[in-house]
Coordinates of all heavy atoms in Angstrom, one line a residue:
M1 N -36.1 -28.8 7.9 CA -35.7 -29.0 6.5 C -35.5 -30.5 6.3 O -34.8 -31.2 7.0 CB -34.5 -28.2 6.2 CG -33.9 -28.5 4.9 SD -32.4 -27.6 4.5 CE -33.0 -26.0 4.3
P2 N -36.1 -31.1 5.2 CA -35.9 -32.5 4.9 C -34.5 -32.8 4.6 O -33.8 -31.9 4.0 CB -36.8 -32.7 3.7 CG -37.8 -31.6 3.7 CD -37.1 -30.4 4.3
L3 N -34.0 -34.0 4.9 CA -32.6 -34.3 4.7 C -32.2 -34.2 3.3 O -31.1 -33.8 2.9 CB -32.4 -35.7 5.2 CG -32.5 -36.0 6.7 CD1 -32.3 -37.4 7.1 CD2 -31.5 -35.1 7.5
G4 N -33.1 -34.5 2.4 CA -32.8 -34.5 0.9 C -32.6 -33.1 0.4 O -32.0 -32.9 -0.7
Q5 N -33.0 -32.1 1.1 CA -32.8 -30.7 0.7 C -31.6 -30.0 1.3 O -31.2 -28.9 1.0 CB -34.0 -29.9 1.0 CG -35.3 -30.3 0.2 CD -36.5 -29.5 0.6 OE1 -36.4 -28.6 1.5 NE2 -37.6 -29.7 -0.1
M6 N -30.9 -30.7 2.2 CA -29.7 -30.2 2.9 C -28.5 -30.1 1.9 O -28.4 -31.0 1.1 CB -29.4 -31.0 4.1 CG -30.3 -30.9 5.2 SD -29.8 -31.9 6.6 CE -31.1 -31.7 7.7
I7 N -27.7 -29.1 2.1 CA -26.5 -29.0 1.3 C -25.4 -29.5 2.2 O -25.0 -28.8 3.2 CB -26.3 -27.5 0.9 CG1 -27.4 -27.1 0.0 CG2 -24.9 -27.4 0.1 CD1 -27.4 -25.6 -0.4
W8 N -24.8 -30.6 1.8 CA -23.7 -31.2 2.6 C -22.4 -30.8 2.2 O -22.1 -30.7 1.0 CB -23.9 -32.8 2.5 CG -25.1 -33.3 3.1 CD1 -26.3 -33.5 2.5 CD2 -25.4 -33.6 4.5 NE1 -27.3 -33.9 3.4 CE2 -26.7 -34.0 4.6 CE3 -24.6 -33.5 5.6 CZ2 -27.2 -34.4 5.8 CZ3 -25.1 -33.9 6.8 CH2 -26.4 -34.3 6.9
R9 N -21.5 -30.6 3.1 CA -20.1 -30.2 2.8 C -19.1 -31.1 3.6 O -19.4 -31.6 4.7 CB -19.8 -28.8 3.4 CG -20.6 -27.7 2.7 CD -20.2 -26.3 3.2 NE -19.1 -26.4 4.2 CZ -19.0 -25.5 5.2 NH1 -19.9 -24.6 5.4 NH2 -18.0 -25.6 6.1
K10 N -18.0 -31.4 2.9 CA -17.0 -32.2 3.5 C -15.8 -31.3 3.7 O -15.5 -30.4 2.9 CB -16.6 -33.4 2.5 CG -15.6 -34.3 3.1 CD -15.5 -35.6 2.2 CE -14.9 -35.3 0.9 NZ -14.5 -36.5 0.2
S11 N -15.1 -31.5 4.8 CA -13.9 -30.7 5.1 C -12.9 -30.7 4.0 O -12.6 -31.7 3.4 CB -13.3 -31.2 6.4 OG -12.0 -30.5 6.6
S12 N -12.3 -29.6 3.8 CA -11.2 -29.5 2.8 C -10.0 -30.3 3.2 O -9.1 -30.5 2.5 CB -10.8 -28.0 2.5 OG -10.4 -27.4 3.7
Y13 N -9.9 -30.6 4.5 CA -8.8 -31.4 5.1 C -9.0 -32.9 4.9 O -8.1 -33.6 5.2 CB -8.6 -31.1 6.6 CG -8.1 -29.7 6.9 CD1 -9.0 -28.7 7.3 CD2 -6.8 -29.4 6.8 CE1 -8.6 -27.4 7.6 CE2 -6.3 -28.1 7.1 CZ -7.2 -27.1 7.5 OH -6.8 -25.9 7.7
S14 N -10.1 -33.3 4.4 CA -10.4 -34.7 4.2 C -9.6 -35.2 3.0 O -9.5 -34.5 2.0 CB -11.9 -34.9 3.9 OG -12.7 -34.6 5.0
G15 N -9.1 -36.4 3.1 CA -8.4 -37.0 2.0 C -9.3 -37.8 1.1 O -10.5 -37.6 1.2
Q16 N -8.8 -38.6 0.3 CA -9.6 -39.4 -0.6 C -10.0 -40.8 0.0 O -10.6 -41.6 -0.7 CB -8.8 -39.6 -1.9 CG -8.6 -38.3 -2.7 CD -9.9 -37.6 -3.0 OE1 -10.9 -38.2 -3.4 NE2 -9.9 -36.3 -2.8
S17 N -9.6 -41.0 1.2 CA -9.9 -42.3 1.8 C -11.4 -42.6 2.1 O -11.8 -43.7 2.2 CB -9.1 -42.5 3.2 OG -9.7 -41.6 4.1
G18 N -12.1 -41.5 2.2 CA -13.6 -41.6 2.4 C -13.9 -41.8 3.9 O -15.0 -41.9 4.3
S19 N -12.9 -41.7 4.8 CA -13.1 -41.8 6.2 C -13.3 -40.4 6.8 O -12.4 -39.9 7.4 CB -11.9 -42.5 6.9 OG -11.7 -43.8 6.4
C20 N -14.4 -39.9 6.5 CA -14.7 -38.5 7.0 C -16.2 -38.3 7.2 O -17.0 -39.2 7.0 CB -14.1 -37.5 6.1 SG -14.6 -37.7 4.4
V21 N -16.5 -37.2 7.7 CA -17.9 -36.8 7.9 C -18.3 -35.6 7.0 O -17.4 -34.9 6.6 CB -18.3 -36.5 9.4 CG1 -18.0 -37.7 10.2 CG2 -17.5 -35.3 9.9
E22 N -19.6 -35.4 6.8 CA -20.1 -34.3 6.1 C -21.0 -33.5 7.1 O -21.6 -34.1 7.9 CB -20.9 -34.7 4.9 CG -20.0 -35.4 3.8 CD -20.9 -35.9 2.7 OE1 -22.0 -36.4 2.9 OE2 -20.4 -35.8 1.5
V23 N -21.1 -32.2 6.9 CA -22.0 -31.4 7.7 C -22.9 -30.6 6.8 O -22.5 -30.3 5.7 CB -21.2 -30.5 8.7 CG1 -20.3 -31.2 9.6 CG2 -20.3 -29.5 7.9
A24 N -24.0 -30.3 7.3 CA -25.0 -29.5 6.7 C -25.5 -28.4 7.7 O -25.9 -28.8 8.8 CB -26.2 -30.3 6.1
L25 N -25.4 -27.2 7.4 CA -25.9 -26.1 8.3 C -27.3 -25.8 7.9 O -27.6 -25.4 6.8 CB -25.0 -24.9 8.1 CG -23.5 -25.1 8.3 CD1 -22.7 -23.8 8.0 CD2 -23.2 -25.6 9.7
V26 N -28.2 -26.0 8.9 CA -29.6 -25.7 8.7 C -30.0 -24.8 9.9 O -29.3 -24.7 10.9 CB -30.4 -27.0 8.6 CG1 -30.1 -27.8 7.4 CG2 -30.3 -27.9 9.8
P27 N -31.1 -24.1 9.8 CA -31.5 -23.2 10.9 C -31.5 -23.9 12.2 O -32.1 -25.0 12.4 CB -33.0 -22.8 10.5 CG -33.0 -23.0 9.0 CD -32.1 -24.1 8.7
E28 N -30.7 -23.3 13.1 CA -30.6 -23.7 14.5 C -29.9 -25.0 14.8 O -29.6 -25.3 15.9 CB -32.0 -23.8 15.2 CG -32.7 -22.4 15.2 CD -34.0 -22.4 16.0 OE1 -34.1 -23.2 16.9 OE2 -34.8 -21.6 15.6
V29 N -29.5 -25.8 13.8 CA -28.8 -27.1 14.0 C -27.7 -27.3 13.0 O -27.8 -26.7 11.9 CB -29.7 -28.3 14.1 CG1 -30.7 -28.2 15.2 CG2 -30.4 -28.5 12.7
V30 N -26.8 -28.2 13.3 CA -25.8 -28.7 12.4 C -26.0 -30.2 12.3 O -26.1 -30.9 13.3 CB -24.4 -28.4 12.9 CG1 -23.3 -29.0 11.9 CG2 -24.1 -26.9 13.0
A31 N -26.2 -30.6 11.0 CA -26.4 -32.1 10.8 C -25.1 -32.7 10.4 O -24.3 -32.1 9.7 CB -27.4 -32.2 9.7
V32 N -24.8 -33.9 10.9 CA -23.6 -34.6 10.6 C -23.9 -36.0 10.1 O -24.7 -36.7 10.7 CB -22.7 -34.6 11.9 CG1 -21.3 -35.3 11.6 CG2 -22.4 -33.2 12.4
R33 N -23.2 -36.4 9.1 CA -23.4 -37.8 8.6 C -22.0 -38.4 8.1 O -21.1 -37.6 7.9 CB -24.4 -37.9 7.5 CG -23.9 -37.3 6.2 CD -24.9 -37.4 5.1 NE -24.4 -36.8 3.8 CZ -25.1 -36.6 2.7 NH1 -26.4 -37.0 2.7 NH2 -24.6 -36.1 1.6
D34 N -22.0 -39.7 8.0 CA -20.8 -40.4 7.6 C -20.8 -40.4 6.1 O -21.7 -40.7 5.4 CB -20.9 -41.9 8.1 CG -19.7 -42.7 7.7 OD1 -18.8 -42.3 6.9 OD2 -19.5 -43.8 8.3
T35 N -19.6 -39.9 5.5 CA -19.5 -39.8 4.1 C -19.7 -41.2 3.4 O -20.3 -41.3 2.3 CB -18.1 -39.3 3.7 OG1 -18.0 -38.0 4.3 CG2 -18.0 -39.1 2.2
K36 N -19.3 -42.3 4.0 CA -19.4 -43.6 3.4 C -20.8 -44.2 3.5 O -21.1 -45.1 2.8 CB -18.4 -44.6 4.1 CG -17.0 -44.2 4.0 CD -16.1 -45.2 4.6 CE -16.4 -45.5 6.0 NZ -15.8 -44.8 7.1
D37 N -21.7 -43.6 4.3 CA -23.0 -44.1 4.5 C -24.0 -42.9 4.4 O -24.6 -42.6 5.4 CB -23.1 -44.8 5.8 CG -24.4 -45.5 6.0 OD1 -25.2 -45.7 5.0 OD2 -24.7 -45.9 7.2
R38 N -24.1 -42.3 3.3 CA -24.9 -41.1 3.2 C -26.4 -41.4 3.4 O -27.2 -40.4 3.7 CB -24.7 -40.5 1.8 CG -23.3 -39.9 1.7 CD -23.1 -39.2 0.4 NE -21.8 -38.6 0.4 CZ -21.0 -38.4 -0.6 NH1 -21.4 -38.9 -1.8 NH2 -19.9 -37.8 -0.5
D39 N -26.9 -42.6 3.3 CA -28.3 -42.9 3.6 C -28.5 -43.4 5.0 O -29.6 -43.7 5.4 CB -28.8 -44.0 2.6 CG -28.8 -43.4 1.2 OD1 -29.1 -42.3 1.0 OD2 -28.6 -44.2 0.3
G40 N -27.4 -43.4 5.8 CA -27.4 -43.8 7.2 C -27.9 -42.8 8.2 O -28.5 -41.8 7.8
A41 N -27.6 -42.9 9.4 CA -28.0 -42.0 10.5 C -27.4 -40.6 10.3 O -26.3 -40.5 9.8 CB -27.5 -42.6 11.8
V42 N -28.2 -39.7 10.7 CA -27.7 -38.3 10.7 C -27.8 -37.8 12.2 O -28.9 -37.9 12.8 CB -28.6 -37.4 9.8 CG1 -28.3 -35.9 9.9 CG2 -28.5 -37.9 8.4
L43 N -26.7 -37.2 12.7 CA -26.7 -36.6 14.0 C -27.0 -35.2 13.9 O -26.6 -34.5 13.0 CB -25.4 -36.8 14.7 CG -24.9 -38.3 14.8 CD1 -23.5 -38.3 15.4 CD2 -25.8 -39.1 15.7
M44 N -27.8 -34.6 14.8 CA -28.2 -33.2 14.8 C -27.7 -32.6 16.1 O -27.9 -33.1 17.2 CB -29.7 -33.0 14.7 CG -30.3 -33.7 13.5 SD -30.0 -32.8 12.1 CE -31.6 -32.9 11.3
F45 N -27.0 -31.5 16.0 CA -26.4 -30.8 17.1 C -26.9 -29.3 17.1 O -26.9 -28.7 16.0 CB -24.9 -30.8 17.1 CG -24.3 -32.2 17.1 CD1 -23.9 -32.8 16.0 CD2 -24.1 -32.8 18.4 CE1 -23.4 -34.1 16.0 CE2 -23.6 -34.0 18.4 CZ -23.2 -34.7 17.3
P46 N -27.3 -28.8 18.3 CA -27.6 -27.4 18.3 C -26.3 -26.6 17.9 O -25.2 -27.0 18.2 CB -27.9 -27.1 19.8 CG -28.3 -28.4 20.3 CD -27.5 -29.4 19.5
R47 N -26.5 -25.5 17.2 CA -25.3 -24.7 16.7 C -24.4 -24.3 17.8 O -23.2 -24.3 17.6 CB -25.8 -23.5 16.0 CG -26.3 -23.8 14.6 CD -26.7 -22.5 13.8 NE -27.1 -22.9 12.5 CZ -26.4 -22.6 11.4 NH1 -25.2 -21.9 11.5 NH2 -26.8 -22.9 10.2
R48 N -24.9 -24.0 19.0 CA -24.0 -23.6 20.1 C -23.1 -24.8 20.5 O -22.0 -24.6 20.8 CB -24.8 -23.2 21.3 CG -24.7 -21.8 21.6 CD -25.3 -21.4 22.9 NE -25.5 -20.0 22.8 CZ -26.4 -19.3 23.4 NH1 -27.1 -19.9 24.3 NH2 -26.5 -18.0 23.2
Q49 N -23.7 -26.0 20.6 CA -23.0 -27.2 20.9 C -21.9 -27.5 19.9 O -20.8 -27.9 20.2 CB -23.9 -28.3 21.1 CG -23.3 -29.6 21.7 CD -24.3 -30.7 21.9 OE1 -25.4 -30.7 21.3 NE2 -24.0 -31.6 22.8
W50 N -22.2 -27.3 18.6 CA -21.3 -27.6 17.5 C -20.1 -26.6 17.6 O -19.0 -26.9 17.5 CB -22.0 -27.5 16.2 CG -21.1 -27.8 15.0 CD1 -20.6 -27.0 14.1 CD2 -20.6 -29.1 14.7 NE1 -19.8 -27.6 13.2 CE2 -19.8 -29.0 13.5 CE3 -20.8 -30.4 15.2 CZ2 -19.2 -30.0 12.9 CZ3 -20.2 -31.5 14.6 CH2 -19.4 -31.3 13.5
A51 N -20.4 -25.3 17.9 CA -19.4 -24.3 18.0 C -18.5 -24.6 19.2 O -17.2 -24.5 19.1 CB -20.0 -22.9 18.2
A52 N -19.0 -25.1 20.3 CA -18.2 -25.5 21.4 C -17.3 -26.7 21.1 O -16.1 -26.7 21.5 CB -19.1 -25.9 22.6
F53 N -17.8 -27.6 20.3 CA -17.0 -28.8 19.8 C -15.9 -28.3 19.0 O -14.7 -28.7 19.2 CB -17.9 -29.7 19.1 CG -17.2 -30.8 18.3 CD1 -16.6 -31.9 19.0 CD2 -17.2 -30.8 17.0 CE1 -15.9 -32.9 18.3 CE2 -16.5 -31.8 16.3 CZ -15.9 -32.9 17.0
L54 N -16.1 -27.5 18.0 CA -15.1 -27.0 17.1 C -14.0 -26.2 17.9 O -12.8 -26.3 17.7 CB -15.6 -26.1 16.0 CG -16.5 -26.8 15.0 CD1 -17.0 -25.8 14.0 CD2 -15.8 -27.9 14.3
S55 N -14.5 -25.4 18.9 CA -13.6 -24.6 19.7 C -12.7 -25.5 20.5 O -11.5 -25.3 20.6 CB -14.4 -23.7 20.7 OG -13.5 -23.0 21.5
G56 N -13.2 -26.6 21.0 CA -12.4 -27.6 21.7 C -11.4 -28.2 20.9 O -10.2 -28.5 21.3
L57 N -11.7 -28.5 19.6 CA -10.7 -29.1 18.7 C -9.6 -28.1 18.4 O -8.4 -28.5 18.4 CB -11.4 -29.4 17.3 CG -12.4 -30.6 17.4 CD1 -13.0 -30.8 16.0 CD2 -11.7 -31.9 17.8
R58 N -10.0 -26.8 18.2 CA -8.9 -25.8 17.9 C -8.0 -25.6 19.1 O -6.8 -25.4 19.0 CB -9.6 -24.5 17.6 CG -10.2 -24.5 16.2 CD -10.8 -23.1 15.9 NE -11.7 -23.2 14.8 CZ -13.0 -23.1 14.9 NH1 -13.6 -22.8 16.1 NH2 -13.8 -23.2 13.8
D59 N -8.5 -25.7 20.3 CA -7.7 -25.5 21.6 C -6.7 -26.7 21.8 O -5.7 -26.5 22.4 CB -8.6 -25.4 22.8 CG -9.4 -24.1 22.8 OD1 -9.1 -23.2 22.0 OD2 -10.4 -24.1 23.6
R60 N -7.0 -27.8 21.1 CA -6.1 -29.0 21.3 C -4.8 -28.8 20.5 O -3.8 -29.5 20.7 CB -6.8 -30.2 20.9 CG -7.9 -30.6 21.8 CD -8.5 -31.9 21.5 NE -7.4 -33.0 21.5 CZ -7.6 -34.2 21.1 NH1 -8.8 -34.6 20.7 NH2 -6.7 -35.1 21.2
R61 N -4.8 -27.9 19.5 CA -3.6 -27.7 18.7 C -2.4 -27.2 19.4 O -2.4 -26.5 20.2 CB -3.9 -26.8 17.5 CG -4.9 -27.5 16.5 CD -5.1 -26.6 15.3 NE -6.1 -27.3 14.5 CZ -6.4 -26.8 13.3 NH1 -5.8 -25.7 12.9 NH2 -7.3 -27.4 12.6

């Protein structure tokens, strides 16, 4: 899917500082970009790897 067609979401926990990331869920991957640099680099993670990352964050609480 072309980057321009992705639907980007920002966490509801993000404040107004702009220091956050946005994610787009596309088939088989999760795309991540810096909110302040929307035309910059986009990181792509396999969905399984992203799920493990989120699980690790939850376990730290």
Side-chain angles (χ1 to χ4, degrees):
M1 172 179 287
L3 293 177
Q5 293 179 357
M6 292 182 182
I7 298 171
W8 294 94
R9 294 184 1 213
K10 186 169 64 166
S11 170
S12 60
Y13 291 99
S14 297
Q16 297 301 319
S17 68
S19 299
C20 52
V21 297
E22 295 175 320
V23 298
L25 304 176
V26 294
E28 299 187 27
V29 298
V30 175
V32 181
R33 70 179 180 186
D34 183 345
T35 301
K36 296 183 308 271
D37 186 14
R38 291 185 172 145
D39 293 325
V42 173
L43 303 174
M44 303 285 223
F45 298 96
R47 283 184 177 250
R48 249 189 201 157
Q49 189 177 23
W50 184 253
F53 170 70
L54 293 179
S55 177
L57 290 177
R58 287 184 197 107
D59 291 346
R60 290 184 62 186
R61 291 184 183 185

